[in-house]
Amino acid sequence: QAQLTESGGGSVQAGGSLRLSCAATGYTYSSNCMGWFRQVPGKKREGVAAIYFEGEDTYYADSVKGRFTISLYKARDTVFLQMTTLKPEDSGEYSCAADHASRDWCLRAFRGEGTDLSYWGQGTQVTVSS
């Protein structure tokens, strides 16, 4: 059974940084598409960033471009999300998601709410105070 384990959430003041990690284990085959969503109560889940392993093509939501960086440690099926210049509106529960898919499907999946993605982590809370 596939499992995604997240870590790195926490509380930080505006302007600060956090790094989230997501490690995938238990796959019968390797995933090649991983990324992050965030959700706040009362709002739709939002895709934040994604990476497609072959070629390390990436997707970023407009709201995080230039501030967040997603990276891959392929040998361990681990993805990192480095978040800098954090804003209060970045607060929310961040969930890792993964699948095995084509490049276009992968990057498109993270533009919506991710309902088609097969594997999900338990979520980690990020709180940015002003």
Side-chain angles (χ1 to χ4, degrees), residues 61-90:
D62 288 342
S63 58
V64 306
K65 283 180 181 176
R67 300 187 298 118
F68 289 14
T69 303
I70 190 168
S71 59
L72 170 66
Y73 181 23
K74 191 172 182 180
R76 297 290 179 90
D77 273 342
T78 299
V79 169
F80 302 100
L81 184 67
Q82 180 68 47
M83 305 185 293
T84 63
T85 320
L86 282 161
K87 304 175 182 180
E89 52 264 42
D90 293 319

Side-chain angles (χ1 to χ4, degrees), residues 54-123:
E54 288 86 351
E56 298 192 19
D57 292 337
T58 57
Y59 160 77
Y60 294 98
D62 288 342
S63 58
V64 306
K65 283 180 181 176
R67 300 187 298 118
F68 289 14
T69 303
I70 190 168
S71 59
L72 170 66
Y73 181 23
K74 191 172 182 180
R76 297 290 179 90
D77 273 342
T78 299
V79 169
F80 302 100
L81 184 67
Q82 180 68 47
M83 305 185 293
T84 63
T85 320
L86 282 161
K87 304 175 182 180
E89 52 264 42
D90 293 319
S91 298
E93 183 174 82
Y94 283 68
S95 297
C96 178
D99 213 312
H100 187 90
S102 69
R103 174 195 177 278
D104 288 348
W105 188 97
C106 172
L107 300 183
R108 186 169 60 245
F110 284 86
R111 295 178 187 275
E113 294 185 65
T115 52
D116 292 335
L117 288 156
S118 298
Y119 305 106
W120 289 83
Q122 78 284 359

Side-chain angles (χ1 to χ4, degrees), residues 7-23:
S7 61
S11 298
V12 66
Q13 288 192 327
S17 300
L18 284 172
R19 188 175 82 155
L20 306 182
S21 65
C22 175

Side-chain angles (χ1 to χ4, degrees), residues 37-41 88-94 124-128:
F37 288 83
R38 69 184 176 196
Q39 188 164 25
V40 296
E89 52 264 42
D90 293 319
S91 298
E93 183 174 82
Y94 283 68
T124 185
Q125 184 67 34
V126 171
T127 302
V128 184

